[in-house]
Amino acid sequence: MAEEATIKWSELKKSLQESDQKELINLLHDLYKKSADNRRYITARYAKTEDESKILEAYRKKVINAYYTPRGAASRPQYLVAKQAINDYSEASGNIKGTMDLALTLVENVMKYIHEFSGIEEASRVGGSDMIEKFCELARTEEGQNFYPYFRDRLHKLYRKSENSPYVIGDNLQYYISNLVDDIAEPDDDFFEEGVQDN
């Protein structure tokens, strides 16, 4: 395979620093037109506050479509596509709550797929465990703890769905979620006593 033609970032950075504002805007415009991924990324980076929910929904759609396309369940789930969408959103926006939301969306779709089809490929099983761990890491941060009430019901449903799961991901979800609740929930939170509430 031929090597990709690139120059070192230090050289490119020097060239960009020598460019005027109009040139840089034209470059961003060209990148924006080139692909949907570029448009989402640039929009997430420079969006105004009132547009944040629209941007989050665009990324959520990409995460969901990796498992459930508009035509139905994907015959081959694409965990890496979903993971990349979450990473892009997080890097571009810096929005912790939105990143937590997308991480939980991925895990929910992995579990939904497992329950509907009694199985899923290894990348999603392992990746789903990694993503709930990422969610819990963010939820333990000073800013992330403020969002626990917002995500509590979704966590509870995931916790219940993970019971009796035939895969290790179920045990991992139980472990990460129960430790998170023990660490950050209010003492009177009856998370583990609540009955099953299916959708």
Side-chain angles (χ1 to χ4, degrees):
M1 178 185 272
E3 272 192 42
E4 188 178 346
T6 60
I7 62 172
K8 291 182 180 177
W9 171 246
S10 56
E11 296 171 23
L12 181 58
K13 183 178 178 182
K14 184 180 178 186
S15 179
L16 290 170
Q17 287 171 334
E18 293 168 356
S19 302
D20 63 23
Q21 185 179 30
K22 186 176 179 183
E23 278 183 277
L24 294 175
I25 289 172
N26 286 338
L27 172 63
L28 272 175
H29 182 247
D30 291 343
L31 290 170
Y32 184 88
K33 290 192 306 184
K34 192 163 183 64
S35 75
D37 285 342
N38 286 353
R39 283 191 290 280
R40 272 191 297 272
Y41 189 92
I42 292 169
T43 303
R45 174 66 62 90
Y46 294 103
K48 294 184 175 12
T49 305
E50 59 269 20
D51 296 324
E52 285 179 357
S53 62
K54 292 179 187 173
I55 293 159
L56 178 61
E57 286 311 309
Y59 277 95
R60 187 196 316 281
K61 190 174 185 182
K62 187 152 180 94
V63 170
I64 292 170
N65 284 350
Y67 292 89
Y68 292 91
T69 68
R71 295 183 301 278
S75 58
R76 293 188 179 188
Q78 297 181 301
Y79 168 74
L80 291 178
V81 171
K83 179 185 177 184
Q84 188 62 55
I86 295 168
N87 290 343
D88 286 349
Y89 173 84
S90 179
E91 185 181 307
S93 71
N95 186 316
I96 289 180
K97 183 181 178 185
T99 303
M100 291 169 70
D101 197 331
L102 293 178
L104 213 52
T105 298
L106 186 148
V107 179
E108 288 165 339
N109 279 276
V110 167
M111 292 306 290
K112 179 180 176 186
Y113 201 99
I114 286 173
H115 282 282
E116 285 186 11
F117 301 102
S118 301
I120 200 166
E121 93 290 4
E122 184 179 1
S124 289
R125 292 196 307 270
V126 174
S129 294
D130 291 346
M131 205 53 70
I132 196 66
E133 182 178 11
K134 177 176 182 164
F135 173 91
C136 292
E137 286 172 3
L138 291 172
R140 282 188 171 87
T141 65
E142 188 175 345
E143 183 180 354
Q145 288 184 43
N146 296 323
F147 304 129
Y148 170 72
Y150 177 81
F151 294 112
R152 184 192 178 281
D153 288 346
R154 289 171 66 187
L155 283 171
H156 184 264
K157 287 176 184 173
L158 263 179
Y159 184 85
R160 293 302 179 199
K161 280 188 176 179
S162 64
E163 292 174 338
N164 304 315
S165 173
Y167 298 102
V168 174
I169 185 175
D171 294 336
N172 290 343
L173 291 183
Q174 295 257 305
Y175 172 79
Y176 287 118
I177 294 171
S178 61
N179 283 343
L180 177 68
V181 172
D182 287 341
D183 289 346
I184 71 171
E186 295 294 327
D188 61 350
D189 190 333
D190 59 353
F191 187 94
F192 300 107
E193 282 73 46
E194 285 182 17
V196 180
Q197 297 178 358
D198 293 325
N199 288 333

